Amino acid sequence: MRFIVALYEVDRAFGGPEEGGWWYDTGELRRPLALAPTNDAAVAIAARANRLLDRLQRHKRPVDSAAYEGGRHRAHVFTTTAPPAYPAERPRYS
């Protein structure tokens, strides 16, 4: 089995007004970064990419900031193919 590391532009979306309002993380695929033969190798690649991204994006506002304007990216690991966006379905409040 191969594992894929993909780069996503991250954001937050409004989930609903329950309990004073809640938000959830979203991501849009920007590009695949690497294929790895094992999960451990894929996680190591993603961790290294995210450390570099943290350094490169330190001047950008965090995703949970009310003034966030987009432009932050994160690397994620998947087992088959990288989905075009996550989550696939809007989460429900429970």
Side-chain angles (χ1 to χ4, degrees), residues 52-64:
L52 177 61
L53 286 167
D54 287 343
R55 254 187 263 138
L56 293 172
Q57 299 174 124
R58 67 178 170 250
H59 67 283
K60 295 185 180 191
R61 290 189 168 97
V63 176
D64 58 357

Side-chain angles (χ1 to χ4, degrees), residues 2 7 13 18 24 26 28 45-46 49 59 63 65 73 81 89:
R2 290 208 175 252
L7 184 67
E18 298 88 354
Y24 62 95
T26 64
E28 188 174 324
I45 292 167
H59 67 283
V63 176
S65 169
H73 296 81
T81 62
E89 295 180 14

Side-chain angles (χ1 to χ4, degrees), residues 11-90:
D11 203 352
R12 287 257 168 113
F14 184 67
E18 298 88 354
E19 297 291 328
W22 60 281
W23 298 78
Y24 62 95
D25 294 337
T26 64
E28 188 174 324
L29 179 65
R30 290 299 172 222
R31 65 173 290 202
L33 291 178
L35 287 175
T38 66
N39 184 53
D40 291 341
V43 168
I45 292 167
R48 184 175 180 197
N50 285 328
R51 282 193 306 272
L52 177 61
L53 286 167
D54 287 343
R55 254 187 263 138
L56 293 172
Q57 299 174 124
R58 67 178 170 250
H59 67 283
K60 295 185 180 191
R61 290 189 168 97
V63 176
D64 58 357
S65 169
Y68 178 68
E69 298 172 338
R72 279 198 168 265
H73 296 81
R74 296 298 290 170
H76 295 282
V77 176
F78 298 95
T79 55
T80 54
T81 62
Y86 70 83
E89 295 180 14
R90 182 184 176 275

